[in-house]
Amino acid sequence: MKNLGLIAKLDIKESIRSRWFFVYLLVFGALMALFFVTGITDSVVMGFTGLSRLLLVYMQVTIVILPIFILITTVKSISADRESAILEYMLSFPISLRDYYWGKMIGRFTITFFPVLLALVLGVVWGAFKGAEIPWNVLLIYSAFVFALCAVFLGIAFFISTIVKSHDVALGSSFVVWIVLLAFIDIALIGLMLQNRWSDEFIISIALLNPLEVFRVGAIALFDPELTVMGPVAYYLLDTFGKKMFLVYAILYPLFLGALFAYLGYYFFKKKDLL
Amino acid sequence: MIEVKDAVKRFLDTNVLDHVNLTIEKGDKIALMGPNGAGKTTLVRAILGFYHLDSGEIRVKGYHPTKERVKVLKNISFIPQTPPPIKLSISELLEFVSKSSDVKQESIKEEAARMDLDVEKNLQKPFFKLSGGMKQKMLIAIALAKKSDILIFDEPTANLDPKAREKFYALLSELDSDVSTIFITHRLEEVEKLVNREIYMDLGKIVEDRRVGV
Ligand SMILES: Nc1ncnc2c1ncn2[C@@H]1O[C@H](COP(=O)(O)OP(=O)(O)O)[C@@H](O)[C@H]1O
Ligand SMILES: [Mg+2]
């Protein structure tokens, strides 16, 4: 158990020094900070009545870059460790695979979620400075969405890294996962609906299973109670589930999916050859 | 100490370990030799629990390498073929070793000093930025400080200059005679004086295993 914390701590220290973290912090941290700051400033002006253009853009950018960033950097660093024999050396010490795997997971999670947290704090400080009434609910729920989104993609990344040994195949698979999930957000789903080739229920199920779409609909529902920027699939989902239900689902489902993949990854890590 | 019974490991339909049988006794000092691709590294990795065998079994002091890896690895020090480009700083690496394996950082530093490596001066440097020789010395110092019953070296002196190589072998000759050692090596003449067993592998089989006078 003591090694769990040790592995997590060393992984965090290592990440903080790495180039990818610097870029991530810069790009994503800045993005989130802008998001919270504008969100709060907007709310001063009009209260959280409408999702401003800008907020919408930030959210879409998050949907696109967060997953690919998490997937690529995580998969890359794990398979690089394997190929350069770092894994072989580190695992020649008496550390249980459980401590190693989950320690790495905790380390990664901390590092990925950290910029979001930082931005949140920044947003709140900014809001206080501007004298705005801080929309705690909205901020906390949105942070929970991002937390859940991080969880899904970290889970998938660890899963891919343990079942695929080759660096190139692992990177390729991450890319495919990302493209497929992006393809099945509202826009593509509308296309399918219009073609009338598949039943609406089927399309709705796809939407509900896609963590990116779930995040998207959840975020829109959160920021835009009037649902002005919503696609038909999103509209249908909110209409059927009700807003509260859907917000809960948008937090729990990605968390569950992430945990499932993380656990499957752990299972194969134990059952298959390590190198 | 180590028992390998009828071990088979297949990669892509070839038996990289082909029904290997081997018993390593307490105090055995083994030179493990053979052409590239013979399966030496694979055998060692199976003992360390990195690979699951297709059939047969391995026991280290009675423990199963994959099912009881912590107990197995407590007894083994391992030095890989080439020093891995670990990104941790030296002080972080020392922390990792000392906490995971119950070794005092002081004793690692002492072992290093005996090979003229000043650890204190390099604590903040990332391991991968050390010179090839320094890396190897660091790994050797860690392996020796761990005071394991079993030492496994995969071509440990490949990156050392002749002087450092002599130092290294001088350190090894001081080892407790109860310690079992496996050297994978291409240069028998270097380890000749240290070993009491010479084992040759080829195509996944042990083709020769003879005891030699020390
Ligand atoms: N993880 C692996 N996947 C597939 N083939 C492997 C793997 N590891 C080793 N091999 C193959 O097994 C054979 C033996 O390799 P190895 O044990 O490294 O030989 P040696 O150390 O004696 O040079 C080689 O042909 C190598 O290509
Ligand atoms: Mg080898």
Side-chain angles (χ1 to χ4, degrees), chain A residues 2-3 6-7 9-10 13-14 17 81 84-86 88-97 270-275, chain B residues 9 11 45 49-52 69-70 73-74 78 80 84-89 92 95-97 99-101 139 142 146:
Chain A
K2 65 175 181 175
N3 289 327
L6 177 67
I7 299 286
K9 179 176 126 191
L10 292 178
K13 283 190 167 182
E14 191 182 309
R17 283 194 302 264
D81 276 5
S84 63
I86 291 178
E88 179 187 29
Y89 186 68
M90 299 310 258
L91 287 182
S92 74
F93 290 89
I95 285 191
S96 72
L97 295 184
K270 285 210 324 196
K271 289 285 172 239
K272 290 190 24 165
D273 293 343
L274 292 168
L275 301 170
Chain B
K9 180 65 194 170
F11 287 125
R45 284 180 171 178
F50 289 118
Y51 294 140
H52 295 259
R69 61 172 269 122
V70 174
L73 294 174
K74 270 204 175 111
F78 168 68
I86 297 167
K87 290 177 219 78
L88 300 176
S89 69
E92 288 160 359
E95 184 187 352
F96 170 76
V97 174
K99 285 200 181 144
S100 66
S101 314
L139 297 189
I142 290 171
K146 216 176 140 195

Side-chain angles (χ1 to χ4, degrees), chain A residues 38-70:
Chain A
T38 0
I40 288 169
T41 316
D42 276 9
S43 76
V44 177
V45 183
M46 45 190 179
F48 258 93
T49 49
L51 183 60
S52 76
R53 285 259 137 226
L54 208 52
L55 281 183
L56 185 65
V57 170
Y58 291 150
M59 198 192 72
Q60 306 279 35
V61 175
T62 304
I63 289 179
V64 177
I65 68 164
L66 180 71
I68 193 68
F69 219 109
I70 293 180

